[in-house]
């Protein structure tokens, strides 16, 4: 498919982050005062491209052979399997879910096979035992391809799922079990690459410099997308277009750098909550994906030079119009501690007219003759107005239409924004020591070898008092 880069360009409207619209907003003087820090953040991210844990910056450019392999594999899966199941957690699950929801039919799995043109798609991103049993109630493992995704091959949740599925497939299919599992993992380290080699699984590799929350544009996300018929070349083209636009250090021309600067300045004013509110059901799980990207990247207790900091901005997911009836009351009249990001879509992929009716009820009949498209746009505009009138900082990202190209743009925009924000904050954007503490405690509780010291630490933890349990 061909995409018009100019017509599909993402737009960032930050009027309502400025003092002209909101009393607590920013001025041109604020940009000038922070010009050195902004320039340094851009320089730091540019210098880090392709190095360390910034391998994700190269994904729009260096995957031609991988993409060809993915497309061939996906085509075979679509022809030979009725179900495709991702086994993963965190970025290995949230990215594939977000892309599937964004591009595929919103009731994809309920469509007849002739309309789906691909296998039913499921992502198992938890270890709730009821969920695993429920999955096995609706799929036939003998007609299912399972994609096990973990870079380390020691992620407890994913490897638990793998052990269950491997055992089930081996008991039912014997030697053919290997034909029902694809491994996506590190090429050089970890357990899964060794298991894949031993069992003979088809394998895709996660580049060393790509962490889970930055992995949607590598085989982690591209294979599930391709299996579902999503144009992954289009996604990469969109990501590349955004990356090229953000090459400039000019804050007025680089949307990700501008968005990062605004969020950073807002955090310094005590705006410690970031609300992501798309106005399209297709983008619902982009908000979930963003929550991991933003929270795990920026929630840190040490600066790069080792100073205590305890910084971060809590991400909150919402959905327009749904959450106008649940959360917006808080955003409008609650504390001044939030920055709200609206995501708008200029042109929805479908148009639904509101028919005539209820003539005796003017407060219903006024809707007649309009479209659902007009209604959702009006509701977004009205909510933006109400939030701004209430003096709350907000800005809007607009996609001309939701397709593979603009999805790629949006993913790269948020990843670059996160990298710039972390650089402005002076933290390591790409580690997650807080997550590791919980993982290590889990390993100790379940008896993993090498965690005796942590097990002893847990045994000596203060005991809970019964008087504080009702």
């Amino acid at each position: 498919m061909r995409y018009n880069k100019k017509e599909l360009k993402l737009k960032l409207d930050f009027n309502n982050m400025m003092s002209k619209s909101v009393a607590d907003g920013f001025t041109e003087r604020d940009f000038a005062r922070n010009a050195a820090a902004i320039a340094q953040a851009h320089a730091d991210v540019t210098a880090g491209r392709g190095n360390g844990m910034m391998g994700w910056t190269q994904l729009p450019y260096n995957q031609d052979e991988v993409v060809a392999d993915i497309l061939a594999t996906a085509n075979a899966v679509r022809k030979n399997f009725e179900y495709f199941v991702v086994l993963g957690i965190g970025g290995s699950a949230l990215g594939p879910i977000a892309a599937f929801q964004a591009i595929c039919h919103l009731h994809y799995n309920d469509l007849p096979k002739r309309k789906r043109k691909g296998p039913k798609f499921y992502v198992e991103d938890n270890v709730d035992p009821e969920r695993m049993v429920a999955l096995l109630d609706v799929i036939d493992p003998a007609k299912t391809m399972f994609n096990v995704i973990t870079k380390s091959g020691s992620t407890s949740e994913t490897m638990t799922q793998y052990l269950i599925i491997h055992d089930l497939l081996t008991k039912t299919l014997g030697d053919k079990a290997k034909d029902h599992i694809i491994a996506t993992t590190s090429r050089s380290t970890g357990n899964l690459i060794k298991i894949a080699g031993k069992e003979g699984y088809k394998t895709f590799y996660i580049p060393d410099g790509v962490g889970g929350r930055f992995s949607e544009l590598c085989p982690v996300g591209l294979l599930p997308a391709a299996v579902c018929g999503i144009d992954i070349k289009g996604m990469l083209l969109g990501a590349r277009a955004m990356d090229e636009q953000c090459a400039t250090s000019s804050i007025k021309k680089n949307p990700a750098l501008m968005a990062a600067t605004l969020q950073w300045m807002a955090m310094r004013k005590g705006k410690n909550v970031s609300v992501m509110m798309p106005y399209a059901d297709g983008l619902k799980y982009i908000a979930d994906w963003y929550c991991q990207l933003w929270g795990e990247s920026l929630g840190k207790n040490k600066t790069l030079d080792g100073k205590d900091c305890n910084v971060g901005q809590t991400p909150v997911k919402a959905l327009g119009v749904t959450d106008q009836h649940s959360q917006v009351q808080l955003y409008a009249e609650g504390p001044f501690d939030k920055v709200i990001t609206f995501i708008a879509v200029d042109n929805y992929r479908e148009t639904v007219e509101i028919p005539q009716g209820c003539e005796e009820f003017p407060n219903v009949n006024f809707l007649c003759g309009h479209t659902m498209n007009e209604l959702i746009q009006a509701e977004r505009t009205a909510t933006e107005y109400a939030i701004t009138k209430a003096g709350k900082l907000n800005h809007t990202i607009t996609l001309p239409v939701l397709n593979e190209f603009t999805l790629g743009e949006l993913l790269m925009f948020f990843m670059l924004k996160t990298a710039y924000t972390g650089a402005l904050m002076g933290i390591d954007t790409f580690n997650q020591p807080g997550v590791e503490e919980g993982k290590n405690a889990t390993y100790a509780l379940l008896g993993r070898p090498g965690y005796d010291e942590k097990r002893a630490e847990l045994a000596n933890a203060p005991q809970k008092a019964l008087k504080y349990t009702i």
Side-chain angles (χ1 to χ4, degrees), residues 447-462:
R448 178 172 169 176
Y451 286 80
D452 294 342
E453 187 176 333
K454 179 62 66 176
R455 194 153 38 250
E457 178 187 323
L458 287 164
N460 292 322

Side-chain angles (χ1 to χ4, degrees), residues 23-89:
D24 203 20
F26 306 107
T27 66
E28 294 289 342
R29 187 175 298 176
D30 290 313
F31 295 136
R33 188 181 299 119
N34 292 299
I38 296 166
Q40 187 61 55
H42 185 272
D44 289 345
V45 172
T46 301
R49 290 178 60 86
N51 301 314
M53 292 307 295
M54 287 192 65
W56 55 271
T57 58
Q58 302 305 304
L59 295 175
Y61 306 94
N62 64 2
Q63 297 191 97
D64 288 350
E65 290 185 13
V66 175
V67 166
D69 191 4
I70 287 172
L71 291 174
T73 302
N75 187 50
V77 171
R78 285 199 302 274
K79 287 181 178 178
N80 298 309
F81 294 90
E82 294 186 14
Y83 310 92
F84 186 84
V85 177
V86 168
L87 305 179
I89 199 164

Side-chain angles (χ1 to χ4, degrees), residues 234-262:
M235 287 176 60
L236 292 170
L237 283 172
R240 182 171 184 164
M242 176 55 62
D243 186 59
E244 290 172 346
Q245 185 180 353
C246 294
T248 177
S249 61
S250 170
I251 193 171
K252 295 296 181 68
K253 296 180 180 179
N254 183 330
L257 184 60
M258 174 60 79
T261 299
L262 292 167

Side-chain angles (χ1 to χ4, degrees), residues 80-126:
N80 298 309
F81 294 90
E82 294 186 14
Y83 310 92
F84 186 84
V85 177
V86 168
L87 305 179
I89 199 164
S92 300
L94 291 171
I97 292 169
F100 171 72
Q101 178 82 2
I103 304 301
C104 294
H105 190 285
L106 291 175
H107 293 285
Y108 174 90
N109 280 354
D110 296 325
L111 291 172
K113 187 175 182 179
R114 59 184 173 78
K115 289 188 176 181
R116 261 188 293 111
K117 299 180 181 179
K120 291 186 177 182
F121 180 67
Y122 300 92
V123 179
E124 294 302 296
D125 64 342
N126 208 342

Side-chain angles (χ1 to χ4, degrees), residues 72 296 325 425 427 463:
E296 200 166 81
H325 296 267
M425 294 168 68
I427 59 169
Q463 298 297 305

Side-chain angles (χ1 to χ4, degrees), residues 153-206:
S154 60
T155 307
S156 295
E157 299 86 354
T158 304
M159 294 312 293
T160 293
Q161 295 168 340
Y162 165 75
L163 288 166
I164 293 166
I165 295 302
H166 175 262
D167 180 67
L168 176 63
L169 290 174
T170 301
K171 287 178 178 176
T172 57
L173 300 175
D175 293 341
K176 293 183 178 180
K178 68 180 180 62
D179 300 325
H180 291 254
I181 294 178
I182 296 173
T184 304
T185 188
S186 170
R187 180 188 294 271
S188 55
T189 61
N191 298 323
L192 186 54
I193 187 62
K194 298 172 185 175
I195 294 170
K198 176 185 175 184
E199 299 289 343
Y201 300 149
K202 171 66 180 176
T203 307
F204 288 97
Y205 304 109
I206 305 171

Side-chain angles (χ1 to χ4, degrees), residues 26 68 95 103 145 190 210 214 221 247 271 285 289 298 425 441 446 462:
F26 306 107
I103 304 301
M145 176 64 79
V210 177
F214 291 89
K271 317 297 184 187
Y285 291 104
W289 172 82
L298 303 184
M425 294 168 68
L446 292 178

